Amino acid sequence: GESVGLHLPTLSVQEGDNSIINCAYSNSASDYFIWYKQESGKGPQFIIDIRSNMDKRQGQRVTVLLNKTVKHLSLQIAATQPGDSAVYFCADRDDKIIFGKGTRLHILP
Amino acid sequence: DAGITQSPRHKVTETGTPVTLRCHQTENHRYMYWYRQDPGHGLRLIHYSYGVKDTDKGEVSDGYSVSRSKTEDFLLTLESATSSQTSVYFCAIVTGASGTGELFFGEGSRLTVL
């Protein structure tokens, strides 16, 4: 069946370094993906999205890469800051909006 | 926050009792969703609605029912709560009439079933 999953449950990154969070999806017909950030005690918040007709999309300090051949997408955070500490989810955006399990990003001082 | 309010924010109940969680929105969005979030499982879709009286099942709908009698309210009911339904429940709306806009979440409702 359809699934969306992240590769690692936890990622530790030195403050100031770049972070890369990966996600795999199974539905080859998926055409729209979204990354969300969830801070402790709060609901998920939209970070950035990408459609299947694109390979890359950039936002403020974030970049999403989509590789349709291997059904993989990644979220890159530049110059990671303490405020980036959160759980990050990728989501396959169709009617049902299926989420991956999430990766917790730890920022090391 | 797209005008989403969940109530109650916290509830403790006993096994076998009925529980209703309410999601209220003030911006007339058509699409509304209920998710549960558990450690190791991430966010899982329970039910969603694409209009008044129009609902559909998600990944984990067993043991849950929903109702949408008016645009602004989407109710999630546990007819007979079980300990496995202890979770944090999030309501979400999608902007845009076609459901292709951005997804906004409420602050969550923490339910504990003893």
Side-chain angles (χ1 to χ4, degrees):
Chain A
E2 180 182 342
S3 68
V4 180
L6 275 75
H7 289 272
L8 290 173
T10 304
L11 176 67
S12 296
V13 176
Q14 205 76 35
E15 182 178 349
D17 288 351
N18 297 336
S19 302
I20 300 176
I21 301 171
N22 296 304
C23 185
Y25 62 95
S26 61
N27 184 1
S28 57
S30 298
D31 62 359
Y32 183 29
F33 303 90
I34 309 177
W35 281 98
Y36 286 86
K37 173 186 180 182
Q38 186 176 23
E39 296 176 277
S40 182
K42 297 184 178 180
Q45 290 184 298
F46 174 91
I47 303 173
I48 192 167
D49 58 1
I50 189 167
R51 295 196 179 273
S52 60
N53 60 352
M54 304 170 71
D55 296 322
K56 178 180 180 179
R57 189 163 188 217
Q58 288 184 292
Q60 188 176 16
R61 277 200 314 118
V62 295
T63 301
V64 56
L65 300 177
L66 176 62
N67 185 330
K68 294 180 286 294
T69 302
V70 296
K71 292 185 281 188
H72 177 273
L73 66 158
S74 66
L75 176 71
Q76 299 179 5
I77 305 172
T80 309
Q81 303 169 358
D84 295 328
S85 180
V87 178
Y88 291 82
F89 295 94
C90 61
D92 180 350
R93 179 72 173 84
D94 62 11
D95 278 352
K96 294 191 175 183
I97 312 179
I98 304 298
F99 284 83
K101 290 184 171 55
T103 292
R104 181 174 296 280
L105 180 63
H106 287 289
I107 312 303
L108 304 172
Chain B
D1 63 358
I4 306 169
T5 305
Q6 291 186 229
S7 60
R9 294 290 313 279
H10 300 272
K11 185 173 181 64
V12 179
T13 191
E14 293 185 348
T15 298
T17 60
V19 176
T20 295
L21 305 179
R22 180 186 184 223
C23 179
H24 179 77
Q25 53 129 337
T26 59
E27 298 183 1
N28 210 37
H29 296 296
R30 181 180 169 195
Y31 284 77
M32 299 183 75
Y33 299 77
W34 275 109
Y35 288 87
R36 61 176 289 174
Q37 186 171 35
D38 306 287
H41 291 281
L43 285 155
R44 292 182 290 176
L45 180 64
I46 305 171
H47 282 278
Y48 66 104
S49 170
Y50 41 97
V52 173
K53 291 187 170 55
D54 288 327
T55 64
D56 205 349
K57 295 180 179 180
E59 305 168 84
V60 290
S61 59
D62 287 348
Y64 301 94
S65 62
V66 289
S67 66
R68 184 114 179 257
S69 59
K70 45 187 178 177
T71 300
E72 58 265 36
D73 287 325
F74 190 32
L75 304 180
L76 178 70
T77 297
L78 292 65
E79 299 290 349
S80 178
T82 66
S83 58
S84 65
Q85 293 175 310
T86 292
S87 187
V88 180
Y89 292 86
F90 285 98
C91 173
I93 62 92
V94 168
T95 59
S98 61
T100 58
E102 191 173 327
L103 186 70
F104 288 93
F105 285 85
E107 290 298 301
S109 295
R110 182 175 295 274
L111 175 66
T112 302
V113 184
L114 302 176

